Amino acid sequence: MSNPSPLYVDPVEFAATRHRIVINLSGGKDGLVAGLIAMDAARQAGVADRVWTAHASLGPMEWPAVTVDGVHWPSASELAAQHSQALGVPPERHIEVRRSREVDGERVPFDLLTFIAERGDWPWLGRARTCTGPWKTKMVYQAFTPQVRALRKETDGPLMFANVLRMRAEESTERRNREMWRRTTDNSARVVDEWLPAHQVTTEEVWERTISAGLPYHWCYDSYPGAKDRRGSSRCSCSALHPGQPPRPTADRRAPPAARRTVRAGRTRPPGAVQPEHHHGRGHRAVPSARRPGPWRRG
């Protein structure tokens, strides 16, 4: 449950109040444009050095890199790092987080594909897509806990964070009703305000800004890598699901083999055969990771 939404009017004034501005990058087009708007406000406020970028990796469930006719087209993870650089954020201020858990005394990656296999069903939590909630946005701030501890020694009162997300009003009724600023955390250690800088930006405007600036975008948006026709996927999210639809295998012929593995994994056990803690991901935490999904070469 979020706290009452704070009252802000000017993005520049808002940015000036933050100790950290964290831009979530998925490798998709909307995150890049939201990041551009947020970074512009941070520069005007003179706090660009407080901006970090973060990518929450889905592991094998992300759109992978492909090599077509000798040309490498980056994965969502690789593209998130490129988008961070395009925003002007130094590499040391870009982090990638991935869910993990302890196995035989060692922390190992715990990806969405494994979760589906253990559950024996699609990980559907209410009406929200798990791949964009517990496995993405809720993971990022756990990785910033060490910074909170360090910064608190230099700061009186709670640290003020901005959590920059890519959501736009045009995408759905639920997102249209979201406010540009929403307080999600308020305690003695930190205050986190969710910020949707691209909330009122249309899809057409997103593409106009991306193409006119010559910014890189993911190959899954095209009918095939390099087509530059934007006639592929509408979103660059989990490679096995149709965004905005009930969880089911994608019909997209360009989807990576992980999509087919997901279908099989989701049938390994009867629904509900897993203990409740698996449904909510308790006992698992995000850890910074430098690992990237490997390239997928089309046959």
Side-chain angles (χ1 to χ4, degrees):
M1 207 52 196
S2 62
N3 295 303
S5 299
L7 296 176
Y8 298 111
V9 177
D10 183 65
V12 176
E13 293 180 2
F14 170 74
T17 67
R18 303 295 106 175
H19 294 101
R20 283 287 183 272
I21 299 172
V22 182
I23 300 172
N24 288 254
L25 296 174
S26 66
K29 66 184 189 309
D30 297 337
L32 175 59
V33 171
L36 288 168
I37 297 171
M39 178 57 86
D40 182 60
R43 288 196 177 102
Q44 292 184 56
V47 295
D49 59 334
R50 302 179 191 176
V51 176
W52 286 63
T53 55
H55 174 67
S57 173
L58 292 175
M61 296 296 291
E62 289 197 325
W63 283 98
V66 298
T67 300
V68 179
D69 297 330
V71 178
H72 176 82
W73 299 92
S75 66
S77 181
E78 292 171 328
L79 199 57
Q82 291 181 21
H83 286 173
S84 179
Q85 294 180 34
L87 295 176
V89 176
E92 62 270 18
R93 296 212 305 265
H94 174 72
I95 66 170
E96 179 177 302
V97 294
R98 185 170 174 180
R99 207 165 189 169
S100 72
R101 66 176 172 184
E102 189 171 315
V103 176
D104 297 329
E106 180 183 359
R107 295 211 73 84
V108 299
F110 179 57
D111 55 54
L112 186 56
L113 186 61
T114 303
F115 181 62
I116 292 170
E118 288 187 350
R119 178 181 163 88
D121 191 15
W122 294 93
W124 192 252
L125 304 180
R127 297 181 61 188
R129 293 193 308 277
T130 297
C131 59
T132 58
W135 292 81
K136 278 186 173 287
T137 55
K138 294 182 180 179
M139 301 289 293
V140 170
Y141 272 84
Q142 296 177 44
F144 280 88
T145 298
Q147 287 199 42
V148 170
R149 291 171 180 162
L151 287 170
R152 285 197 70 186
K153 299 176 182 179
E154 309 169 4
T155 307
D156 293 329
L159 293 172
M160 307 295 288
F161 274 72
N163 184 22
V164 180
L165 302 179
R166 53 159 291 278
M167 299 174 190
R168 295 186 297 109
E170 192 179 68
E171 295 176 301
S172 68
T173 301
E174 187 274 331
R175 294 187 174 186
R176 184 165 57 251
N177 292 331
R178 293 282 285 268
E179 297 176 271
M180 184 174 292
W181 287 286
R182 182 176 66 164
R183 183 151 295 176
T184 57
T185 303
D186 191 348
N187 56 46
S188 60
R190 72 178 88 175
V191 171
V192 179
D193 289 329
E194 183 181 276
W195 182 18
L196 312 181
H199 188 253
Q200 296 300 313
V201 179
T202 67
T203 300
E204 183 178 358
E205 290 170 338
V206 167
W207 281 122
E208 284 178 357
R209 184 158 187 171
T210 301
I211 301 305
S212 63
L215 297 169
Y217 66 86
H218 199 277
W219 61 267
C220 75
Y221 290 118
D222 291 329
S223 58
Y224 62 89
K228 303 297 182 183
D229 55 9
R230 275 79 66 192
R231 295 178 63 185
S233 299
S234 61
R235 296 183 190 171
C236 183
S237 185
C238 171
S239 63
L241 301 181
H242 280 298
Q245 298 295 329
R248 60 185 175 85
T250 181
D252 193 331
R253 60 184 173 82
R254 301 162 307 127
R260 294 190 295 273
R261 292 198 297 270
T262 303
V263 178
R264 293 196 297 269
R267 295 171 179 165
T268 56
R269 297 184 186 182
V274 185
Q275 295 300 316
E277 59 265 29
H278 288 105
H279 290 260
H280 297 282
R282 294 172 183 166
H284 307 301
R285 63 183 176 88
V287 293
S289 171
R291 299 182 65 182
R292 298 288 189 271
W296 170 46
R297 295 180 179 273
R298 295 175 66 96

